[in-house]
Amino acid sequence: MQRLLVALLAAFDAAIAAAVGVAVLLAPLTLLWTLAFGVTADWGALWPLTGTLWQFGHGVAIDISLPTEVLTSVGIAPDAATFTLSVTPLAFLVFTLLFAARSGARAARSGAWLLGPLVGSGTFAVIAAGIALTSRIDAAQTSLLLSILLPTAVYLAGSLCGAVRVAWEDGDGGLIDRVHDEIDSWGDWGLVPGSAVRGAAVAVVGVTAASALGVAIMVALRAGEVVALFEAARVDVLGGTVITLGHLAFLPTLIVWAAAWIAGPGFAVGTGTAVSPAGTQLGVVPGIPVFGLLPENSSMWMLIVVLLPIAAGAFAGWTVRSRLVWEGTPLALAPRAVIALGIGVLTAVVTAIAAVLASGSIGPGRLADAGPAVLPFSLVLGAEVLLGAAILLLSPRHRDEVAEERTDRWIAEMAASDLPLLDADAPFARGGDANDTAPLDDLPPRGSGL
């Protein structure tokens, strides 16, 4: 009965996640649709547009094909009639990921860490298939297979991460515990996987925070340029609202672009363009208001920002090392080096996934190349985080750590030789007084390092 209840709750969570994501799109679109077209609006086109945008928010590329009458009325060149949109508005994807992680964690606390994610992902796949089949637009085509697989993969990844994290910490009485026990049998090396994952999470959060702060600073410094582009667009309140909502949906994507700039490789906003601390080469850029945040010029001195990812890696290394010392498990040089390497590699993997989603095409012609280059961005950021983590993890140990390790070694040697151990509270435990003393034979030998 309990497993059935967990499955039902997991399915309900998946339905809620999909419903909220669709409602976030449908509610403002309905209002805008009413204001723009009134009672004569073609309501049959509202749902296909909503479903297509929901798929786009989960990484599904959209192939745009503008009709001839639109090209004529707007004055667009015929060679720009067909193009692809593939730079994902990551706000929708991040919401699904976090909601799925919460659902998976709850399933793991109920003792069904695998059942919950599988049922939830299956439910989400059914909903994604329904949306994909009922929201086809001739002018904005999406791949039917990807429209089902990508949203489902996002939900499955989030729910599994949440479930495995909780099951690893609390135990599941099954597979996770067996894997946990096997890793624990490695001795000091058993601490390496968990410490690397924990450090990578800290590093990713640190880089994300620094990137978000960078975006906020650019908004404060270049708000005038953004407002000027809004005014140049000559849109009414309705159009300005649509543009603003679009900017909010792409805010996490902009944070990824900012992370690429901070790491050093930078990003592109069109073929032949580059925006990085070492220099900015833009040329003609579309008059989208958010592009007013782009720096007009750069200086080699701006490369100092690469210290931020290094600092994030150093903070991750300090966090891992402090935890090891707190738990009384100081590690040798080799395990600490592997932990640092693991932090860098895992950070590079997460960065590569984010870069794939945040790069691609944003329009016709030269706009088919936008966002960070996946390989340089992931490798450079991973190397910077690795450098910072290695500085903290591989530095000489503090004398308190060494003294604690010597104490543990002496206690182990005493226990192995079946000699009684000193206990400062032993006289009181035996009912003696503070003047009780231990026999001289029980004292550690001189020069033992204590």
Side-chain angles (χ1 to χ4, degrees), residues 97-392:
L97 201 66
L98 295 178
F99 201 99
R102 176 180 172 273
S103 176
R106 185 169 63 181
R109 294 189 186 97
S110 301
W113 70 270
L114 184 59
L115 177 64
L118 290 180
V119 173
S121 300
T123 304
F124 204 82
V126 172
I127 296 174
I131 294 175
L133 292 172
T134 58
S135 59
R136 311 297 293 176
I137 301 178
D138 293 337
Q141 294 288 334
T142 58
S143 169
L144 180 61
L145 182 61
L146 293 180
S147 298
I148 300 173
L149 292 182
L150 288 182
T152 305
V154 171
Y155 193 91
L156 178 62
S159 58
L160 279 179
C161 288
V164 170
R165 180 188 65 82
V166 173
W168 187 266
E169 295 176 353
D170 300 341
D172 72 328
L175 177 62
I176 296 294
D177 281 346
R178 290 195 295 271
V179 174
H180 200 294
D181 293 341
E182 177 63 26
I183 293 178
D184 285 343
S185 66
W186 297 351
D188 286 350
W189 291 97
L191 299 172
V192 171
S195 299
V197 172
R198 188 177 298 110
V202 173
V204 170
V205 171
V207 172
T208 302
S211 304
L213 179 61
V215 173
I217 292 175
M218 292 306 296
V219 169
L221 294 178
R222 298 185 60 84
E225 286 75 5
V226 175
V227 172
L229 288 175
F230 262 110
E231 295 174 346
R234 297 183 181 277
V235 294
D236 55 10
V237 176
L238 181 62
T241 302
V242 172
I243 294 175
T244 302
L245 292 176
H247 285 6
L248 292 177
F250 276 96
L251 181 58
T253 308
L254 297 178
I255 292 176
V256 176
W257 289 20
W261 189 89
I262 291 174
F267 57 90
V269 288
T271 304
T273 64
V275 181
S276 70
T280 300
Q281 298 176 353
L282 289 178
V284 180
V285 176
I288 302 175
V290 72
F291 286 159
L293 301 179
L294 298 176
E296 296 179 353
N297 49 57
S298 300
S299 170
M300 291 298 293
W301 290 102
M302 287 187 178
L303 286 173
I304 196 172
V305 296
V306 302
L307 294 177
L308 294 176
I310 297 176
F315 182 68
W318 175 82
T319 301
V320 171
R321 183 166 179 164
S322 298
R323 185 182 179 94
L324 293 174
V325 173
W326 177 261
E327 294 176 347
T329 54
L331 299 180
L333 181 64
R336 284 183 285 147
V338 175
I339 291 174
L341 180 61
I343 292 174
V345 170
L346 291 176
T347 301
V349 170
V350 174
T351 302
I353 296 173
V356 168
L357 294 170
S359 61
S361 173
I362 58 174
R366 59 193 297 268
L367 297 180
D369 181 17
V374 178
L375 190 60
F377 178 29
S378 58
L379 290 181
V380 170
L381 185 59
E384 291 167 351
V385 168
L386 170 60
L387 176 60
I391 291 174
L392 266 292

